[in-house]
Amino acid sequence: MKTCLVVDDSKVIRKVARHILETLNFEVREAGDGREALDACLDTPPDVILLDWNMPVMSGMDFLRALKDSDIAQRPKVVFCTTENGMAYIRAAIEAGADEYVMKPFDRETLESKLQIVGVA
Amino acid sequence: MRATLTPSASGSSSAMNMIAALLEQRAGQQIAANRAWRIETALKPLLRVRGLKTLDELVAQLSASRTGELGDQVVDALLNQETSFFRDAMVLDTVSEAIRAIQAANPERRVRIWSAGCSTGQEPLSLAMLLTEKGMMQDALAPEIVATDISPAALNRARAGRYSQFEIQRGLPVRRMVTWFESIGGDWVAKPELVRRVQFRQHNLTSDCAPAGRFDLILCRNVMLYFSPTVRRQVFDILSSAVRPGGLLVLGAGETVIDLTEHFNPSEQFRGFYAAADGATPTLTTAR
Ligand SMILES: C[S@@+](CC[C@H](N)C(=O)[O-])C[C@H]1O[C@@H](n2cnc3c(N)ncnc32)[C@H](O)[C@@H]1O
């Protein structure tokens, strides 16, 4: 079973994501901000991270930088989620090391398609 | 043949049957009795736009109108046009391999590809992206991609290359999205240099003869499944008249030629593809 770490400061969004991911046969873990997410990754890296971009404690961008600098052996794939769809914004996330992006709110098919693209579904 | 459809909240059984007959006549598609509800759901927006309350009123207008334009709109609304970028991505990878092999065997001419039933353009545009990325679209001998559909509305959307956030997310990797599309007013619009690679044309597989010239590879995916076996046979005849000797046919997952045509056999070289049967001079191995 593949594992997915859902990183979002909204409990509701985490719950929705968890529900979808479980129907896609993922084992789901949750983190409420970038810092918690980094700890979770250092502990046991997941296969993929669903990463919210705007979080209070450590933003998605800061998290990606920290992940890059960390010495995690197997870097997880990162799908970042936003409500923005500006080109500059998306490019910045890709340059920072995100593998894919998905707009909120997303449905099962969309998320599944993105997980397939990064090779974990 | 066709089952009689039962009346519904907004249409008598004769109205439903007339609409089903129109769809069959124009697009070769049959509506199963247990899917008659689709007629109602699919036509609701059209009823609203036209200020009509029931399917019977729509049928009355259809009978009165002379141009057939309303009929086009009705048929359009009833067609399933579901598609996505890079649908069955592995199949498209095999398509690009096949194109490379055909190009290598025929270095003196352009390879020709037909995307039949291209819907809103995601299939041919995906192929154009893929072939360009693989460096196969560079010179004057770049493959020619002809994409056709029965639906004028779908083709207009394809030519505009404009997709919603929802559509663009389906199957399109983000790097390709930022390379090939521009974000305009909340939508994503394909760059002109991409759309230019594809020639979009209206074509009805069940009543028109094939587009001029022969094709090396035909994609006709997720189109046949809506046709009856009899109509499928006819469509395979059209496709076989359009394919070069030894050329290839690609169907959707779950679609087959078995028991429906003698013109195509499973390809030995490309798994899941079909090769034109009457190829005394296979295009893949003999430069013609
Ligand atoms: C489900 S879509 C498939 C699109 C694409 N090939 C794919 O696999 O994603 C089927 C398309 O076939 C078109 N179609 C249906 N009947 C047709 C006909 N008689 N001639 C040409 N196209 C037709 C529909 O308009 C629709 O766009």
Side-chain angles (χ1 to χ4, degrees):
Chain A
M1 205 184 226
K2 297 263 166 89
T3 53
C4 179
L5 177 66
V6 178
V7 191
D8 202 304
D9 55 326
S10 154
K11 217 172 167 173
V12 180
I13 302 259
R14 293 206 302 268
K15 201 171 150 189
V16 173
R18 167 183 286 276
H19 178 74
I20 295 179
L21 286 159
E22 284 178 350
T23 68
L24 294 171
N25 273 327
F26 277 85
E27 184 188 317
V28 180
R29 289 191 282 149
E30 295 180 25
D33 58 52
R35 179 118 357 111
E36 266 182 54
L38 198 61
D39 288 343
C41 285
L42 294 172
D43 187 45
T44 353
D47 296 292
V48 61
I49 303 174
L50 196 60
L51 179 69
D52 179 35
W53 208 238
N54 302 306
M55 289 178 297
V57 176
M58 183 191 239
S59 74
M61 183 73 92
D62 292 339
F63 168 79
L64 279 181
R65 289 206 189 97
L67 189 68
K68 226 181 220 169
D69 294 341
S70 75
D71 45 24
I72 291 180
Q74 185 112 54
R75 202 185 81 83
K77 296 284 181 191
V78 178
V79 177
F80 79 97
C81 333
T82 84
T83 48
E84 310 250 342
N85 66 355
M87 183 67 101
Y89 196 79
I90 293 168
R91 277 189 197 279
I94 301 291
E95 268 155 34
D99 300 284
E100 261 306 326
Y101 100 117
V102 64
M103 278 281 289
K104 284 200 254 187
F106 46 76
D107 62 2
R108 187 178 187 274
E109 271 82 51
T110 306
L111 190 56
E112 187 176 17
S113 138
K114 293 296 179 181
L115 293 167
Q116 275 166 359
I117 289 172
V118 300
V120 295
Chain B
M1 298 267 309
R2 192 166 6 93
T4 298
L5 304 176
T6 43
S8 74
S10 61
S12 67
S13 125
S14 78
M16 303 272 265
N17 285 319
M18 261 199 69
I19 290 168
L22 179 75
L23 182 67
E24 185 167 356
Q25 195 185 52
R26 296 254 186 120
Q29 304 200 4
Q30 288 186 336
I31 296 196
N34 63 356
R35 293 184 53 83
W37 56 268
R38 264 215 52 165
I39 296 188
E40 236 189 309
T41 329
L43 292 178
K44 242 181 207 143
L46 185 61
L47 289 181
R48 201 177 315 123
V49 170
R50 295 239 156 199
L52 304 173
K53 287 204 188 59
T54 64
L55 295 178
D56 292 72
E57 287 177 24
L58 180 66
V59 165
Q61 278 209 353
L62 269 173
S63 324
S65 88
R66 288 162 163 234
T67 57
E69 189 206 335
L70 180 59
D72 281 349
Q73 290 176 6
V74 169
V75 170
D76 228 288
L78 290 171
L79 295 172
N80 180 328
Q81 294 178 337
E82 177 154 332
T83 185
S84 65
F85 287 102
F86 291 89
R87 185 173 193 171
D88 298 320
M90 264 146 62
V91 172
L92 291 187
D93 283 335
T94 311
V95 168
S96 75
E97 273 171 42
I99 301 296
R100 202 184 277 291
I102 300 168
Q103 267 183 336
N106 302 276
E108 77 296 347
R109 64 168 179 87
R110 295 179 75 182
V111 173
R112 300 189 74 225
I113 305 163
W114 178 17
S115 161
C118 67
S119 188
T120 38
Q122 284 89 329
E123 175 177 280
L125 291 178
S126 298
L127 193 58
M129 283 183 241
L130 192 63
L131 297 183
T132 309
E133 286 165 14
K134 290 184 182 264
M136 294 159 68
M137 280 290 212
Q138 273 153 354
D139 45 22
L141 288 177
E144 187 180 341
I145 305 176
V146 176
T148 64
D149 201 279
I150 188 178
S151 161
L155 288 167
N156 281 339
R157 296 208 42 220
R159 288 189 190 105
R162 188 173 186 127
Y163 301 95
S164 70
Q165 183 64 45
F166 177 77
E167 292 167 318
I168 203 89
Q169 295 216 91
R170 282 285 181 88
L172 188 68
V174 65
R175 282 182 182 75
R176 285 191 173 130
M177 185 182 87
V178 299
T179 307
W180 292 109
F181 291 79
E182 229 113 42
S183 159
I184 299 178
D187 288 339
W188 292 88
V189 182
K191 293 186 179 165
E193 66 257 38
L194 178 64
V195 181
R196 218 178 30 228
R197 305 257 185 223
V198 182
Q199 303 165 39
F200 290 102
R201 296 184 205 153
Q202 191 183 3
H203 177 268
N204 187 340
L205 283 164
T206 55
S207 63
D208 297 337
C209 43
R214 297 258 177 160
F215 294 90
D216 296 280
L217 186 143
I218 302 176
L219 289 151
C220 186
R221 302 193 301 163
N222 309 298
V223 179
M224 290 282 184
L225 74 165
Y226 302 102
F227 299 145
S228 69
T230 317
V231 173
R232 283 181 205 176
R233 274 194 197 96
Q234 291 161 7
V235 174
F236 279 124
D237 287 347
I238 300 276
L239 297 180
S240 87
S241 75
V243 74
R244 270 180 182 264
L248 296 167
L249 170 67
V250 185
L251 299 177
E255 291 171 322
T256 177
V257 304
I258 292 167
D259 292 337
L260 290 168
T261 178
E262 292 74 48
H263 300 309
F264 294 96
N265 294 316
S267 158
E268 283 169 20
Q269 202 173 351
F270 300 102
R271 256 186 87 194
F273 290 15
Y274 298 95
D278 54 350
T281 44
T283 322
L284 294 185
T285 47
T286 321
R288 283 154 50 86

